[in-house]
Amino acid sequence: MSETRKLAAILVADVVGYSRLAAAGEDRILARLRTLRSDLIDPTITVHHGRIVKRTGDGSIIEFRSVVDAVRCAIEVQNGLIERNAGLPPERRIEFRVGIHVGDVVEENDGDLMGDGVNIGSKGLRSPARSVFRKTRTVR
């Protein structure tokens, strides 16, 4: 299997409290997530030149060529979520945790990404905080 090593900005995101939301109404949360993906998340990723590497149930791994594009995309999605959550009780809001890391990754022939660049980006999601950005090091 051939692989390509490259530098990339990796954005990893998942839904805060997904299990709790699903327990309260799985069909409803899945429908809302599909709508968010089609109306907000996927178009915003495209505008900021991102590539969805993998969907992980309630989360995603997204590659960007630029950390600036990754951060701008994350901010735009978070702002869109604030608008869409307005008026909803806290227990029904969909909020995303986001981790962004710039690092070396290995791209497989099938487009999947592997390596520390992906792993470190996902570590930003391990915080219990809600709707937060985690940085793994200073980006200048």
Side-chain angles (χ1 to χ4, degrees), residues 16-104:
V16 174
Y18 178 78
S19 296
R20 175 188 47 81
L21 290 166
E26 186 175 40
D27 290 341
R28 181 177 59 228
I29 188 67
L30 290 174
R32 288 181 60 211
L33 274 176
R34 286 184 193 108
T35 299
L36 283 172
R37 285 178 177 164
S38 67
D39 295 352
L40 173 65
I41 297 168
D42 291 357
T44 305
I45 291 167
T46 299
V47 165
H48 294 284
H49 314 291
R51 176 179 77 90
I52 299 168
V53 175
K54 187 180 297 184
R55 298 258 195 226
T56 57
D58 67 316
S60 299
I61 299 173
I62 305 156
E63 173 191 22
F64 293 87
R65 292 181 302 236
S66 160
V67 70
V68 172
D69 286 338
V71 170
R72 287 179 177 163
C73 179
I75 290 169
E76 190 171 326
V77 168
Q78 293 289 40
N79 287 335
L81 287 169
I82 289 168
E83 291 173 12
R84 285 161 177 80
N85 283 327
L88 289 175
E91 67 274 6
R92 293 206 39 223
R93 294 179 186 155
I94 294 178
E95 299 172 316
F96 278 86
R97 274 184 295 251
V98 176
I100 297 174
H101 178 73
V102 176
D104 201 38

